Amino acid sequence: MGSLFFIGFPKVVRANPAEACESLICLYGLQNHSKNPACLPAINKFFRIQVYTPSFNPAATAVAREKYLNQCPEAYTVEKFIAKIIAQYGMIMLPPF
């Protein structure tokens, strides 16, 4: 599966809400040193969201990734976890493994 590249302003990556929730749960686990192999696709989906303006734009990438995670219907109840995930992983290109 290829990367989701954007040129210019970050667009919202439309996702099935269940996919956004799965990414959210798996990234929370990754943040807490859990390496569940079943989470690899959900984590990779998050890291495939990348914004280029024309080169890699970390800040815009973080915004696009946050918008993606906020598509999870329960996102409003875990805003502080989303903020921590974005602070740690929002601006990096590749997963830390």
Side-chain angles (χ1 to χ4, degrees):
M1 196 178 264
S3 294
L4 302 172
F5 297 107
F6 301 109
I7 305 299
F9 187 79
K11 300 173 178 137
V12 176
V13 177
R14 294 283 173 217
N16 176 321
E19 290 176 349
C21 291
E22 183 180 13
S23 290
L24 179 58
I25 291 166
C26 289
L27 287 161
Y28 178 78
L30 181 64
Q31 212 171 26
N32 290 288
H33 311 291
S34 173
K35 300 209 178 185
N36 183 345
C39 278
L40 198 54
I43 291 170
N44 285 335
K45 182 168 180 109
F46 174 83
F47 281 101
R48 281 194 311 267
I49 299 168
Q50 298 178 355
V51 179
Y52 289 80
T53 60
S55 59
F56 180 69
N57 184 328
T61 295
V63 169
R65 289 174 176 174
E66 184 173 13
K67 287 179 179 181
Y68 165 70
L69 292 179
N70 278 318
Q71 291 180 65
C72 174
E74 288 79 26
Y76 72 94
T77 63
V78 292
E79 289 174 357
K80 69 179 183 177
F81 298 123
I82 291 175
K84 287 180 182 180
I85 289 167
I86 295 303
Q88 186 168 358
Y89 302 124
M91 293 198 241
I92 61 176
M93 288 183 80
L94 302 171
F97 48 81

